């Protein structure tokens, strides 16, 4: 199943079997509809339930709450397999739970975990993470959405921007300010759909990730019970930082996986397409381009797997994860660009997978912390003073 | 109740099969493998019957150590135990059926469920031969009366009706469907439209590692593999010729009559 000797040591039989399931699901349930869903800028809600029935959701989350009980590589393989359909949007839509649930699992009480996690992993409810705001993205510590304690409840005011799965989300894990302390004043809450004062926008129109819905969430005197606070007041920032580590790794994985799919598409096309009486693979310049794409994809995947493996062992890889994400962005952007070039005019058509990937990967250096912010973190961790 | 199910390791149906330069076999580089899809359907049925009859399900594969992957998948899907009969030599339907008979003699299941054929050689013989060697009744090409989109299928109801002594099986035949009742123990082979096999859940995949998997050799079973069929060589199908566009119906008829000689 896993032939690449650089990859094989990280994976066992359970990964191979799970990957087969993921590939089957992609082939049967996503690929046939990928183009239509991208054009419609949404995929059917039933897909969550179908993916849950196939046992694919929350692969690395604890079995006790309906997860797969696997490790980070099971989750990585789910992302890799899904990308063969050529729509990142479907994956990040299905995957918004992968950023929304960890704060609940990390900070929540037993009761909170039992209440919110299983329905999402069964595909019955959709979960989203609300951190970014209209005026605050990179500078997370200046989040302005406020949660003011009032007796047995909190009253939320503010708004969240660019929230993946926000249009349809049944529960949102929201980062809000409970005191003025920049870092120590942030806390996580769960807000349920239908709570008075909580509203969502229509889906925002995007360059890529089209099959996923992205929304602005608004909280206007939105009153939630104190039981909806995760952990103690002030524990939000640290939990968010831990969440970022996983999220960044997953974005890095989308990078190498997009590169692999773009490469495979380009290889196929280069063999089939003829110009000047021979296949375009016959031009050395094409072969060298493909060779470079293959090299970048391999290096990127190897780094991501090493970082993931260190995470699996429980080691701290803050700096490495930022590096892996940035490298993956560079690789994905370059490789997808070459792939479009190899496709010629066909690469500019929306029906080509490489066209979609080209747009999809443009988000990677922006989402989950921009490349500049990754570099800031790397510089800081390496002790580069001003 | 004990049900024995075969899980043959075959090349994945999406693989591009190429014949090696010497014409002695196929190129295995880059191939992925799976449980024979018909066996997968048999196993799905067995697991549904297991829930209904608290049966024990045993999966069996014949082959090299590699076939343990398919057995582990079988365990993840819901089998309780697995048996690998280790064999490296070529095996035809006849030898496979003899090996399975020896396994049946040891295991004494009430029912053997298997695919009607494997997608590699498409022989469609092993089930029938096994029933013959055992002197057991057989029902081949089991199918479901309801469609695969039906409520019964959504509820994962078994299509084969079992009681202590008999099995009622709907069979696919040329003219439609036929229902037969056979005495147990018996061999049932399954067709495509019996059920939709499930995805093994990840926790079950992980736990399958701990389920028992026994290995037997042909010597343990007292069998010497003497295939009746010897493969002399493999040849690729002739490349498809490019088509021609004809101007009118008359030319088409001419060509069909005089060149293709099909009219
Ligand atoms: C499709 C999509 C889905 C998203 N999904 C979610 C989601 O589900 N949940 C969520 O909470 N958020 C989500 N986001 C938001 C995303 O995380 C933010 O867009 C991202 O963190 C960047 O923040 P910003 O857009 O406010 O950019 P800004 O912070 O305004 O940055 C603008 C530019 O300034 C640069 N910059 C900022 N600070 C520095 C600095 N110190 N040094 C150098 N350069 C700097 C940035 O690198 C960037 O180039 C999503 C965004 C998109 C587009």
């Amino acid at each position: 199943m896993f032939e690449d000797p650089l990859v094989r040591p990280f994976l066992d039989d359970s990964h191979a079997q799970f990957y087969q399931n993921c590939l089957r699901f992609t082939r049967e349930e996503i690929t046939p509809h990928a183009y239509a869903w991208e054009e419609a800028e949404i995929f059917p809600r039933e897909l969550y339930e179908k993916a849950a029935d196939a046992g694919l959701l929350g692969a690395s989350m604890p079995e006790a709450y309906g997860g797969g009980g696997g490790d980070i590589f099971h989750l990585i393989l789910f992302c890799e397999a899904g990308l063969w359909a050529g729509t990142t949007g479907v994956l990040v839509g299905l995957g918004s739970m992968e950023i929304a649930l960890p704060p609940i699992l990390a900070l929540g009480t037993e009761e909170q975990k039992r209440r919110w996690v299983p329905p999402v992993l069964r595909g019955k409810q959709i979960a989203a993470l609300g951190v970014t705001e209209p005026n605050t993205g990179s500078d997370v510590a200046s989040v302005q959405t406020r949660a003011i304690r009032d007796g047995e409840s909190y009253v939320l005011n503010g708004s969240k921007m660019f929230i993946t799965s926000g249009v349809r989300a049944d529960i949102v894990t929201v980062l809000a300010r409970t005191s003025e302390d920049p870092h120590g004043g942030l806390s996580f809450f769960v807000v349920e759909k239908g709570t008075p004062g909580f509203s969502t926008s229509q889906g925002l129109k995007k360059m890529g990730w089209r099959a996923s819905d992205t929304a602005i969430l608004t909280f206007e005197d939105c009153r939630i019970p104190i039981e909806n606070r995760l952990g103690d007041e002030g524990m939000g920032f640290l939990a968010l930082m831990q969440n970022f580590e996983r999220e960044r790794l997953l974005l890095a994985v989308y990078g190498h996986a997009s590169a692999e799919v773009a490469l495979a598409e380009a290889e196929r096309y280069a063999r089939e397409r003829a110009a000047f009486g021979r296949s375009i693979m016959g031009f050395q310049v094409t072969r060298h381009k493909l060779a470079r794409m293959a090299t970048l994809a391999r290096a990127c995947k190897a780094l991501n797997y090493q970082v993931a493996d260190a995470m699996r062992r429980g080691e701290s890889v803050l700096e490495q994860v930022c590096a892996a994400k940035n490298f993956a962005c560079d690789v994905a952007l370059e490789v997808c660009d070459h792939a479009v070039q190899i496709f010629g005019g066909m690469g500019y058509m929306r029906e080509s997978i490489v066209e979609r990937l080209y747009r999809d990967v443009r988000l990677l250096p922006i989402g989950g912390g921009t490349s500049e912010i990754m570099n800031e973190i790397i510089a800081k961790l390496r002790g580069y003073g001003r | 109740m004990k049900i024995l199910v075969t899980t043959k390791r075959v090349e994945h149906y999406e693989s591009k099969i190429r014949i090696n330069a010497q014409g002695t076999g196929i190129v295995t580089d880059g191939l992925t493998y799976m449980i024979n899809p018909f066996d997968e359907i048999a196993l799905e049925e067995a697991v549904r019957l297991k829930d209904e009859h608290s049966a024990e399900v045993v999966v069996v594969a014949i082959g090299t150590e590699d076939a343990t992957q398919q057995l582990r998948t079988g365990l993840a899907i819901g089998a309780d135990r697995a048996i690998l009969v280790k064999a490296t030599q070529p095996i035809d339907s006849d030898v496979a059926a003899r090996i399975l008979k020896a396994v049946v003699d040891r295991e004494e299941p009430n029912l053997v469920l298997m695919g009607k054929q494997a997608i590699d050689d498409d022989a469609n013989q092993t089930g029938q031969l096994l029933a013959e060697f055992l002197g057991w009744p057989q029902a081949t090409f089991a199918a479901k009366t309801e469609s695969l989109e039906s409520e019964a299928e959504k509820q994962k109801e078994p299509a084969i009706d079992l009681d202590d002594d008999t099995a009622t099986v709907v069979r696919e035949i040329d003219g439609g469907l036929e229902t037969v009742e056979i005495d147990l123990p018996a061999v049932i082979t399954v067709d495509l439209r019996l059920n939709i096999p499930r995805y093994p859940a990840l926790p079950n995949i992980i736990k399958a590692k701990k389920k028992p998997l026994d290995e037997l050799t042909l010597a343990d079973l007292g069998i010497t593999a003497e295939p009746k069929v010897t493969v002399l060589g493999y040849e690729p199908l002739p490349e498809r010729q490019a088509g021609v566009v004809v101007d009118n119906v008359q030319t088409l008829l001419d060509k069909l009559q005089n060149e293709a000689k099909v009219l």
Side-chain angles (χ1 to χ4, degrees), chain A residues 16-30:
Chain A
Q17 283 189 38
F18 182 69
Y19 187 58
Q20 292 264 21
N21 289 351
C22 296
L23 287 176
R24 174 177 156 200
F25 186 81
T26 304
R27 188 168 56 232
E28 292 176 6
E29 305 290 349
I30 306 180

Side-chain angles (χ1 to χ4, degrees), chain A residues 96 99 128-140 160-166 206 208-209 212 214 244 247 363 365-373 376:
Chain A
S96 58
I99 50 176
L129 175 73
V131 173
T132 308
E133 301 184 347
N135 298 318
T136 310
S138 302
D139 185 10
V140 180
K160 294 289 174 184
M161 186 76 175
F162 306 138
I163 304 308
T164 302
S165 296
K206 303 187 294 297
W209 286 28
S212 70
T214 311
F244 266 145
E247 178 178 2
L363 184 66
I366 298 171
T370 65
S371 293
E372 289 78 7
I373 297 301
E376 281 297 298

Side-chain angles (χ1 to χ4, degrees), chain B residues 40-73:
Chain B
E40 239 179 7
I41 296 171
L43 180 57
E44 174 65 33
E45 194 65 14
V47 172
R48 293 181 188 188
L49 289 166
K50 165 183 161 155
D51 295 343
E52 215 178 71
H53 299 272
S54 51
E56 185 190 18
V57 175
V58 182
V59 281
V60 54
I62 306 168
T64 63
E65 212 61 59
D66 292 338
T68 49
Q69 282 172 13
Q70 281 61 45
L71 289 171
R72 290 276 174 224
T73 305

Side-chain angles (χ1 to χ4, degrees), chain A residues 74-311:
Chain A
H74 292 102
L75 178 59
I76 290 174
L77 291 168
F78 170 69
C79 300
E80 287 183 3
L83 259 195
W84 286 102
T87 154
T88 319
V90 170
L91 276 184
V92 294
L94 288 176
S96 58
M97 66 176 66
E98 288 293 344
I99 50 176
L101 296 183
I104 303 180
L105 288 168
L107 299 175
T109 60
E110 190 57 27
E111 206 189 321
Q112 289 176 319
K113 291 189 238 183
R114 294 214 171 272
R115 178 169 161 205
W116 287 311
V117 179
V120 175
L121 294 185
R122 277 203 307 272
K124 305 277 184 204
Q125 295 212 330
I126 297 175
L129 175 73
V131 173
T132 308
E133 301 184 347
N135 298 318
T136 310
S138 302
D139 185 10
V140 180
S142 51
V143 156
Q144 287 165 7
T145 297
R146 266 162 215 286
I148 307 224
R149 178 79 183 257
D150 179 29
E152 289 305 287
S153 35
Y154 282 94
V155 179
L156 265 63
N157 275 292
S159 56
K160 294 289 174 184
M161 186 76 175
F162 306 138
I163 304 308
T164 302
S165 296
V167 178
R168 300 196 286 196
D170 300 287
I171 63 165
V172 186
T173 311
V174 177
L175 189 70
R177 181 159 297 290
T178 41
S179 85
E180 296 315 311
D181 183 338
H183 298 97
L186 294 173
S187 312
F188 267 120
F189 298 87
V190 172
V191 180
E192 294 173 333
K193 187 182 205 150
T195 309
F198 167 40
S199 58
T200 62
S201 70
Q202 300 281 306
L204 303 172
K205 297 275 174 195
K206 303 187 294 297
M207 174 198 284
W209 286 28
R210 288 230 178 128
S212 70
D213 64 278
T214 311
I216 304 171
L217 314 182
T218 311
F219 306 97
E220 273 175 313
D221 292 332
C222 173
R223 188 175 286 271
I224 54 171
I226 51 171
E227 293 84 62
N228 286 26
R229 190 189 69 218
L230 299 169
D232 294 334
E233 276 193 13
M235 288 173 81
F237 190 76
L238 197 65
L240 179 68
M241 289 305 121
Q242 281 160 357
N243 205 20
F244 266 145
E245 218 171 302
R246 255 169 74 91
E247 178 178 2
R248 286 167 186 163
L249 177 72
L250 291 182
L251 291 166
V253 166
Y254 287 133
H256 82 237
S258 305
E260 283 190 323
V261 175
L263 170 66
E265 284 288 299
E267 286 170 342
R268 177 182 61 75
Y269 195 80
R271 284 204 180 87
E272 287 169 4
R273 179 71 182 174
F276 298 95
R278 54 167 134 169
S279 112
I280 58 169
M281 189 68 107
F283 302 116
Q284 189 182 47
V285 69
T286 311
R287 294 196 299 269
H288 283 195
K289 196 172 269 171
L290 287 166
R292 172 156 176 82
M293 291 159 74
T295 306
L296 288 173
R298 255 192 218 292
C300 180
K301 187 171 184 173
L303 176 58
N304 288 344
Y305 271 44
Q306 290 211 16
V307 173
D309 188 47
M311 267 187 194

